[in-house]
Amino acid sequence: MARTQYERITTKQTLNRVKEERMPFDWSINPYRGCGHGCSFCYARAFQSFIGMGAEDEFQHHIFMKSNAAEALEKQLSSAARKFNYDIEAMRRSIGQVTIGTATDPYQPIEGKETLTRECLKLLAKYRISTSITTRSPLVLRDLDILTRMENVSVNISLNTLSGDVVRKLEPASPHPEARLDAIHRLSAAGIRTGLFVAPVLPFLTDEEPELKELLSQAKERGVSFAMISLLRLSRDVKKWYLETLKHHFPEVVQSYRELYGQGAYAEEHYVRSFKSMASRLLNEYGLGGLTKGTPAAVNRSGPIAAGENGASDEGAVGHPAREWAAPVRPRKLPKPAAPVSGEELTPDVEQLSFPF
């Protein structure tokens, strides 16, 4: 097993503006680069190329820690406060929504020691900034003392399967599903608005309707307020690493992935449409739709499905879209969708959560 290297770096600014207007938040914070959870499918692996690194093991085993993240954030927020003559209410309205954890998990294992996320959270609470957090880790419970004092905060727990076997093979250092469900329960019990991010759904592995229903049901029982379901997106570098991981753990599905994703980052149109219909119906069934400000979203083919999206209904829904979708025989000929698909629905014009570090 590779030994993890931790490197301290400094940043000029901790708050990064999200320029895409359709995103449901205005600023992002990522206290780390890379992630110790090591999820083989993580879209953030592709960002390693920005700093001359690969999407493979380096993403998990070379973690950059922004040691001055809190100091840089204090500088940004105090500057904003001066601009508004210390009218904090006017300032917070101007800043809008801040989301922590769009390109790394802010509660990955090293956070237990470094507390970079905790120190940033203290400042967001001090300036009363509307905040959402996305994480796979119950370590977020450590900061309940801060979260319960914040005026407008939500926590989004990422969990795409109840299978401990799948998690251990594809997310080698992520917390067990039961630990994440317990985090949902404890956050909700403390009065924190808590969401479930079923992301990413993995074709042929975690996309069966009974499994998704059980996941939504268990989250609902534990007090989750809303949910988002998002399909797997595979950029070139991430696809290479993910398929290599599948070869080792789930070799029987590798060829199916090659057919379903082809040369692109998104699954074939027919599969996407079938899956969206099912996912929208399930969110409606459990009353967990309604993405709002503070729940990271995207508008592309891999992006989140909200209840009732695109007029989806029970009609034509399927129990297992990956098995309903048949890999085409060469030469490739796509199956025709059951109904017309809009260009907006199929055009990947926004990368899911691909924001600056």
Side-chain angles (χ1 to χ4, degrees):
M1 180 179 293
R3 183 175 180 178
T4 301
Q5 176 184 353
Y6 297 99
E7 183 175 344
R8 297 185 188 280
I9 60 173
T10 58
T11 183
K12 293 182 179 179
Q13 60 181 40
T14 298
L15 276 176
N16 289 286
R17 168 72 76 176
V18 177
K19 297 179 181 179
E20 175 51 59
E21 293 182 357
R22 285 169 291 182
M23 292 300 172
F25 52 96
D26 307 286
W27 300 85
S28 66
I29 291 179
N30 291 288
Y32 303 92
R33 288 179 180 170
C35 183
H37 287 158
C39 301
S40 58
F41 44 72
C42 183
Y43 59 84
R45 286 179 177 273
F47 302 162
Q48 295 291 87
S49 63
F50 299 163
I51 53 175
M53 300 178 69
E56 296 82 23
D57 259 359
E58 280 184 309
F59 177 76
Q60 179 183 0
H61 295 297
H62 191 158
I63 309 298
F64 295 89
M65 307 177 297
K66 299 178 183 178
S67 57
N68 70 327
E71 290 83 353
L73 179 59
E74 174 73 77
K75 184 176 181 180
Q76 286 180 279
L77 293 177
S78 62
S79 176
R82 287 194 299 273
K83 178 181 176 181
F84 285 91
N85 295 316
Y86 297 96
D87 183 340
I88 300 301
E89 181 59 29
M91 169 193 158
R92 68 185 292 270
R93 286 199 305 267
S94 175
I95 289 177
Q97 182 78 40
V98 172
T99 291
I100 306 176
T102 61
T104 186
D105 195 312
Y107 287 99
Q108 60 182 284
I110 192 61
E111 168 63 17
K113 175 182 178 182
E114 294 296 316
T115 68
L116 299 182
T117 299
R118 179 176 174 82
E119 294 306 311
C120 289
L121 204 58
K122 287 179 182 178
L123 292 169
L124 295 171
K126 172 184 174 181
Y127 287 94
R128 298 165 54 196
I129 304 299
S130 298
T131 304
S132 71
I133 301 167
T134 299
T135 181
R136 278 176 142 73
S137 176
L139 180 58
V140 66
L141 296 169
R142 177 201 62 189
D143 294 340
L144 272 175
D145 60 322
I146 304 173
L147 295 171
T148 52
R149 298 199 310 267
M150 298 180 75
E151 295 181 22
N152 186 3
V153 65
S154 62
V155 176
N156 315 307
I157 299 295
S158 292
L159 177 60
N160 62 355
T161 180
L162 294 174
S163 170
D165 180 61
V166 171
V167 167
R168 196 51 57 230
K169 290 175 178 177
L170 300 182
E171 309 175 27
S174 287
H176 191 276
E178 190 58 40
R180 289 183 244 180
L181 288 172
D182 181 64
I184 289 174
H185 171 69
R186 293 173 63 183
L187 287 163
S188 299
I192 305 300
R193 187 168 185 266
T194 308
L196 171 69
F197 278 11
V198 186
V201 173
L202 309 175
F204 310 105
L205 295 173
T206 69
D207 62 347
E208 292 193 19
E209 180 171 340
E211 179 179 355
L212 290 171
K213 290 185 71 170
E214 182 63 20
L215 176 54
L216 292 174
S217 175
Q218 291 205 27
K220 182 80 170 181
E221 288 177 6
R222 287 163 172 81
V224 76
S225 301
F226 59 91
M228 177 273 282
I229 302 176
S230 181
L231 276 170
L232 176 68
R233 173 188 176 277
L234 290 173
S235 64
R236 182 183 59 186
D237 291 343
V238 177
K239 181 187 291 186
K240 180 179 178 181
W241 178 254
Y242 180 61
L243 291 182
E244 285 298 319
T245 305
L246 289 181
K247 283 181 184 178
H248 183 68
H249 294 295
F250 300 100
E252 69 278 7
V253 303
V254 172
Q255 184 56 34
S256 296
Y257 266 92
R258 294 190 188 281
E259 296 288 355
L260 184 60
Y261 280 83
Q263 299 301 312
Y266 302 94
E268 297 284 10
E269 298 168 10
H270 184 60
Y271 172 88
V272 172
R273 187 170 188 84
S274 296
F275 182 83
K276 280 193 171 186
S277 176
M278 177 184 71
S280 179
R281 176 168 51 82
L282 292 180
L283 290 174
N284 276 317
E285 180 179 337
Y286 288 94
L288 292 174
L291 290 173
T292 61
K293 198 78 168 176
T295 55
V299 293
N300 57 36
R301 284 161 59 182
S302 69
I305 295 97
E309 182 179 280
N310 296 322
S313 66
D314 288 355
E315 184 178 357
V318 296
H320 193 309
R323 294 195 172 94
E324 289 285 331
W325 178 87
V329 178
R330 303 286 190 236
R332 298 180 70 199
K333 185 177 181 181
L334 293 179
K336 188 176 181 180
V341 183
S342 69
E344 181 180 0
E345 180 182 355
L346 297 178
T347 302
D349 54 349
V350 178
E351 299 295 340
Q352 183 180 358
L353 300 182
S354 56
F355 305 116
F357 289 109

